[in-house]
Amino acid sequence: MECAALFRTYIEPVVLAAQFGSALYDTGLQIVVKESYNRKTSINSTNPGDDLQKAISNFYMIYSMISSFVPFLPALFLARLGDKRCRKIPIGVPLVGYFLSRALLLLVVLVELPIEVMFGGAVLYGLCGGFSSYWAGVMALASSRSSEERRSLQLIRIELVYGIAGFVGSLCSGHILSFSQAVLVGASVFLYLLCIIYIAFVLKVTAQLGSLADRNKSEEEQSGPLESTGLCSLCAYGKTNIVLLFVSALLYDVSVGSAMEILISFVMKAPLDWGAKEVGYGNAAGFVIFITSFLGVWVFSRCLRDTTMIIIGMLSFASGIYVMSFVRKTYLFYIARALNLFALIPMPTIRSLLSKQVPGSSYGKIMIVLQLSFTLAGVAYSPIFTKIYQATLDWFAGFVFTLSSILTCLAIIPICIVGWRTTRQEGYERIPS
């Protein structure tokens, strides 16, 4: 009975099933989009190769912009409800949106609707909060259940579950797709339905752990203004650190998001020219990073500061994506992905650092503001990097990856400042009063 009660407090089953379903959906959408536009360009185009690349990248640009922009207000509303009422709300409602949008792709496959119908699917799940609300809700729930000392490891453990599910799902997706597109997408829809049932009837939200900010606030109320004035400089450090962490996270998100969005089109053009199985294996290689990043945090957290781990992760991504600029054969793709082995470390670690700057009752707010910052950035960078990719197809198709590597190096600068400021803050705290 105790084991069953403990299981009901875990969010990991939802993350596992939802990401497995998402991996199936991503591969299915990628191939359906390619086949749809391949038919159109082969009939109406004199240069089908380049026109196919432009059509696919334009589709993902519009799809990404809708997915990023529509959830803005719904996600804020859901985050507020999550902090005030129940942390299941900002997780469960987006899953309903995902279920509906995946079901729409199933209709596209079965009834042969135009692929542009999926723009409506992006609107549907955006109105339900989208990934912004879902992932911020998961991170807020995980943060509220972990101590500050183990929070980085707890958040990266959630990412590990996410990555393993994506890895297995991507490996399976290519083989299932070769059998039937309808079965692939139908399995994705079914998994999201299971997630909704688990959230609604199984998941139990327990009491939150107090954060350092909560304890500081309580100490201020008990000690009075004279004794609490020493906390003022620490608060100033916290506010500035939040800004620096946001700047670094945004730059890194732009670097990773833009590169991964273009990579979808890049691997389907000559000379790689991947099919369904290769796409599945390539996506699986990307999810291996979740495992290696978890092992990295597990080892590094014993001897390194959070800021140092973030820098290691960013350097890992910068080196790997730079090599991707020159990939012309499939084995080189996997070498570039191998260099990204710690690329996932920065985001959960930044989220952990941010959660330590605010009281527990504001975890949902700080996570959703960060996630929506990524959303707004996505609306801006998606068309910019898509047009850069299209303009450089003829002379250097990997130019956008080099640009992403440069932006990642710039993202390291604010983290270095946070590390220096944190060292000074700890020195301040050691001074006897």
Side-chain angles (χ1 to χ4, degrees), residues 64-130:
S64 177
M65 290 178 67
I66 294 173
S67 303
S68 299
F69 187 72
V70 175
F72 192 83
L73 291 178
L76 283 174
F77 176 71
L78 291 171
R80 183 179 178 84
L81 283 178
D83 280 338
K84 293 198 169 199
R85 295 180 178 272
C86 179
R87 293 209 180 275
K88 293 201 293 185
I89 295 173
I91 303 173
V93 175
L95 287 172
V96 174
Y98 274 108
F99 170 77
L100 295 174
S101 65
R102 275 48 178 169
L104 193 57
L105 180 61
L106 184 59
L107 284 177
V108 170
V109 172
L110 294 175
V111 189
E112 297 185 357
L113 298 175
I115 192 62
E116 288 78 11
V117 168
M118 291 311 301
F119 296 147
V123 172
L124 273 177
Y125 98 88
L127 290 174
C128 292

Side-chain angles (χ1 to χ4, degrees), residues 2-3 18 29 38 55 86 101 131 152 226 231 254 257 259 382 427:
E2 291 182 2
C3 292
L29 179 64
N38 192 33
C86 179
S101 65
F131 183 78
S152 295
L226 292 178
L231 295 173
V254 169
S382 182

